[in-house]
Amino acid sequence: MNIQDIKPADGAKTASKRVGRGIGSGTGKTSTRGHKGQWARSGGGVRPNFEGGQMPMTRRLPKVGFNNKRFAHVYNAVNVEVFNRFEDGEVVDINKLIEANIVKKAENYGLKVMGDGVLEKKLTIKANKFTASAIQKIEKAGGTAEVL
């Protein structure tokens, strides 16, 4: 097989319909547009989402919700299971997580520890925020959760 022998599968490519090329073609005169009207004209038709003049669905439904990102409290969220990488008795904070490549950069509001996973090491974890389940799992493992 050579490169010049490669061709698309049968029926994969169809020739485009040549409209307005005489009566014998079957698509002459009105060029498949029918007679007169909005759709027969050049540039005719309606914009997307047009519902025939009635109030469009997007304007009938109420606006819902607002998320003001300017005043959002952005934390580095980390689950307790990631702390299993550290040694027993170690003090872990945001800087240790950055050194260990668990967190890329410290966010404005600091570190938030979530309660997903199992903690098997006795650690002192310093963070700006803890979930209730995270504190429970840290204390169950024999560690302490310090709020900064």
Side-chain angles (χ1 to χ4, degrees), residues 131-147:
T131 61
S133 59
I135 292 171
Q136 184 182 11
K137 288 180 182 184
I138 292 165
E139 290 174 352
K140 184 180 175 187
T144 55
E146 290 183 22
V147 179

Side-chain angles (χ1 to χ4, degrees), residues 79-131:
N79 284 310
V80 291
E81 65 188 358
V82 301
F83 295 106
N84 288 323
R85 297 183 189 184
F86 297 99
E87 298 297 321
D88 261 341
E90 205 170 337
V91 177
V92 183
D93 61 351
I94 187 80
N95 297 325
K96 287 262 189 182
L97 294 174
I98 292 169
E99 287 172 22
N101 284 330
I102 296 168
V103 172
K104 285 187 174 67
K105 68 173 188 122
E107 292 291 348
N108 295 340
Y109 282 83
L111 181 66
K112 181 173 182 177
V113 180
M114 315 286 255
D116 193 32
V118 179
L119 183 64
E120 297 154 359
K121 306 274 177 83
K122 181 181 176 181
L123 301 169
T124 301
I125 300 170
K126 294 183 178 182
N128 301 78
K129 228 174 185 187
F130 292 90
T131 61

Side-chain angles (χ1 to χ4, degrees), residues 28-47:
K29 194 186 173 204
T30 55
S31 303
T32 73
R33 288 173 172 259
H35 292 279
K36 298 186 183 175
Q38 186 174 15
W39 298 98
R41 314 263 187 241
S42 168
V46 294
R47 66 182 182 274

Side-chain angles (χ1 to χ4, degrees), residues 4-23:
Q4 66 267 17
D5 298 331
I6 298 172
K7 62 185 179 104
D10 291 334
K13 291 177 74 82
T14 56
S16 60
K17 187 191 286 188
R18 297 185 70 228
V19 295
R21 294 293 182 271
I23 197 167

